[in-house]
């Protein structure tokens, strides 16, 4: 299974269904539309844990925000603060929303592969618990 690397706290918000749109500066690659992806939670700046697989996420599609107002109006779905210097709106960059269609949350995290890509990670060996 392919995995997607998402930093904490965004990964936590997604797996707990608080956030239903992941924002990026590019559209979701077509090959991952409707594809189950291992959700690899990475520590980001905190660095307090090793990357781990916390569940499985599926995106139905992506779209491009046409302007800052549209992005601000969609705050309740993406939860990115306007003032966020890294992930907030930037006039000189495209902003895309990846819409979550399904989440499977693991009761216990599983180890992430040692070799991870920058965004996507191939060959994630995970066990999806039964009855989830």
């Amino acid at each position: 299974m392919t995995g997607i690397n998402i930093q904490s706290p965004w990964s936590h918000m997604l797996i707990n269904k608080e956030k239903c749109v992941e924002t990026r500066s590019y559209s979701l690659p077509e090959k991952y539309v409707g594809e189950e992806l291992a959700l690899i939670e990475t520590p980001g700046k905190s660095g307090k844990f090793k990357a781990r697989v916390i569940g499985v996420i599926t995106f139905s599609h992506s779209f491009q925000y046409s302007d800052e107002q549209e992005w601000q109006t969609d705050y309740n779905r993406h939860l990115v603060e306007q003032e966020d210097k890294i992930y907030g709106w930037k006039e000189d960059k495209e902003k895309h929303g990846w819409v979550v269609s399904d989440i499977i949350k693991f009761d216990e995290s599983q180890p992430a592969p040692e070799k991870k890509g920058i965004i996507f990670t191939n060959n994630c060996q995970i066990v999806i618990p039964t009855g989830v």
Side-chain angles (χ1 to χ4, degrees):
M1 175 180 282
T2 300
I4 181 167
N5 305 323
I6 300 181
Q7 285 187 11
S8 177
W10 312 113
S11 53
H12 181 79
M13 292 181 217
L14 285 163
I15 204 69
N16 288 307
K17 300 181 181 180
E18 298 163 15
K19 171 180 167 85
C20 61
V21 171
E22 170 69 356
T23 60
R24 300 284 173 130
S25 60
Y26 49 90
S27 62
L28 175 66
E30 193 64 36
K31 67 182 177 179
Y32 298 128
V33 172
E35 184 79 21
E36 287 187 331
L37 301 169
L39 177 47
I40 302 170
E41 180 176 50
T42 61
K45 292 180 183 176
S46 81
K48 294 183 178 170
F49 61 87
K50 287 185 76 169
R52 56 198 175 198
V53 179
I54 60 171
V56 176
I57 190 166
T58 306
F59 297 100
S60 62
H61 65 286
S62 66
F63 63 93
Q64 183 175 351
Y65 289 101
S66 58
D67 56 31
E68 185 175 6
Q69 180 61 46
E70 182 184 11
W71 182 78
Q72 287 177 357
T73 301
D74 206 28
Y75 171 80
N76 288 337
R77 295 194 320 150
H78 63 67
L79 301 179
V80 179
E81 297 291 339
Q82 183 177 353
E83 306 80 34
D84 190 307
K85 292 184 181 355
I86 298 172
Y87 302 111
W89 180 267
K90 293 179 182 68
E91 284 298 327
D92 60 337
K93 265 193 155 175
E94 291 183 2
K95 186 65 84 175
H96 295 259
W98 299 7
V99 180
V100 177
S101 60
D102 196 29
I103 288 279
I104 298 171
K105 181 179 179 178
F106 296 166
D107 289 334
E108 294 185 25
S109 63
Q110 299 179 29
E114 288 296 320
K115 289 187 174 185
K116 288 180 292 308
I118 294 172
I119 300 160
F120 294 99
T121 298
N122 294 322
N123 302 317
C124 292
Q125 304 296 319
I126 64 167
V127 176
I128 299 175
T130 56
V132 194

